[in-house]
Amino acid sequence: MHKPTKAEVMREARDYIFITLGLFSYALGWAAFLIPYQITTGGTTGIGAIIYYATGFPIQWSYFIINAVLMTFAKILGPKFSIKTTYAIFMLTFLLWFLQLVVNGADGVPPKVLGEGQDFMACLIGAAMCGVGLGVVFNCNGSTGGTDIIAAIIHKYRDVTLGRMIMACDVIIISSCYFIFNDWRRVIFGFVTLFVIGIVLDYIV
């Protein structure tokens, strides 16, 4: 059995620290900017957001349940990816819950920190934070689950960038928010968010 060297242990520890920081950026982007302005995007977090806007069911629990199912496919990417993805899913579930608790305050209502009518700016800032977070997580051989898992599998066997692959997977998810809001503006915001996340993610990776 291979005994890990000190350098390997330090590299793994560094990966987990950076994955945690990336997840913090991602969760804060959602809690402070996307959720208060009812903006969605792709992935299982996007599905969770749509469920939350429609029913009030917490976004973190929808995210966790869907990923618990999808994690069975992550084994294809190797044990390190699976372990780090499992860690990321649990940590992101916690951070989404915790940061919403911090941001929302005592009344539990997500505050619009940029003020009323600043949906587009919230969209850009939230998307940039999510893109940075995802990029850091991917660079450390991790994933936040969901369509990230599908994208990472295809990226492993085909020369397709992660950002574009995630974008392709998430078009249907974003379009479906029209049925919740009956507002094409929300769909456009979702696509803008997805585009910015893809650009930032590709730049980081």
Side-chain angles (χ1 to χ4, degrees), residues 142-163:
S143 162
T144 56
T147 51
D148 297 355
I149 293 174
I150 299 167
I153 291 169
I154 294 172
H155 178 68
K156 183 177 180 179
Y157 298 106
R158 294 283 184 273
D159 186 22
V160 181
T161 64
L162 292 169

Side-chain angles (χ1 to χ4, degrees), residues 64-79:
F64 183 80
I65 292 166
I66 295 167
N67 277 292
V69 176
L70 285 172
M71 268 306 294
T72 56
F73 298 100
K75 294 175 183 176
I76 299 169
L77 299 167

Side-chain angles (χ1 to χ4, degrees), residues 29 32-34 36-40 112-129 183-196:
F33 298 102
L34 300 183
Y37 289 88
Q38 294 189 318
I39 298 167
T40 191
K112 294 186 176 182
V113 292
L114 301 177
E116 291 292 337
Q118 295 297 319
D119 302 46
F120 187 68
M121 187 56 70
C123 167
L124 293 180
I125 296 172
M129 291 179 72
D183 182 2
W184 284 110
R185 198 170 63 107
R186 296 288 169 197
V187 178
I188 293 168
F189 281 149
F191 281 118
V192 170
T193 306
L194 187 60
F195 178 76
V196 173

Side-chain angles (χ1 to χ4, degrees), residues 21-35 39-42 45-46 59 92 96 122-138 144 148 166 193-194 196-202 204:
L21 292 173
L23 293 172
F24 185 87
S25 174
Y26 185 84
L28 186 61
W30 271 102
F33 298 102
L34 300 183
I35 292 174
I39 298 167
T40 191
T41 186
T45 325
I59 182 174
L92 185 55
L96 282 168
C123 167
L124 293 180
I125 296 172
M129 291 179 72
C130 288
V132 168
L134 285 176
V136 170
V137 170
F138 269 122
T144 56
D148 297 355
I166 291 171
T193 306
L194 187 60
V196 173
I197 289 174
I199 294 295
V200 175
L201 171 60
D202 278 350
I204 298 289

